Amino acid sequence: MRADTEPTTDTEPAAEIWTEAICRAYTEQLRGVIRFDHRRWAKRVDRALGVLREGAVILDVASGPGFLLFELARLRPQLTLIAHDLSPHMGIIQREEARQRGLEIEAIGGPAEAIERASATVDVVTCKQLLHECADVAQTLAEIHRVLKPGGVAFIIDFDQDGSRLAARLIHLFMRLRRGGVIADSFWRSYSAGFKGSDIKAKLEAVGFEPVIYHRSGPNYMMIARRAGADE
């Protein structure tokens, strides 16, 4: 979701748009919805993960301030945490938020279309609410596939144009009442920019994920996509 203070121009490189002030304002906006959003999705990911080895590496792509990753760490304290974001300012915030929680985190930067991570080095990838904004969806999904180990799994969460529009309208109304019109309208713009879940499933399969399980949840989808190969 876009920050309410985000500039509207499309001429500036995305990393420059997300200034430190905007990143910190966005972080505070998200802090108010951790319980309803990040915590709920973390529980769903946790239930689907099954048994992981001690020290298994999880990478959260387009992590923002890292709230989804931190909620997963509460449920899976054995995980090794990596937070990715395009903005270097978010990397600073991720480390600050991790220290406040007594967690260690590696913060990496760069676009999601070129993740700064060696191939086949990650056990789990999460990617929440990025695809409706990223420049190249197919390349982003290919990068997620690349960094996963054989047998690794990705959880892709975003707005679903195949999903419930009524649920989206109710969330919009709830946000307007609880968080104000600016953040509510930001949600609606992001929701409206989403793809059909069926199209994202096909794109995941096209870059090599098998199987891909499509879960629909109100106005969202969660894809559980596994890279073929034996677990390491």
Side-chain angles (χ1 to χ4, degrees), residues 51-66:
V51 178
L52 291 174
R53 65 178 178 83
E54 186 75 21
V57 177
I58 182 168
L59 165 65
D60 188 29
V61 176
S63 191

Side-chain angles (χ1 to χ4, degrees), residues 65 70 93-105:
F70 301 143
I93 293 169
Q94 289 159 1
R95 288 187 285 268
E96 291 173 356
E97 295 284 337
R99 282 196 297 271
Q100 291 171 16
R101 293 164 171 81
L103 297 172
E104 293 186 4
I105 192 171

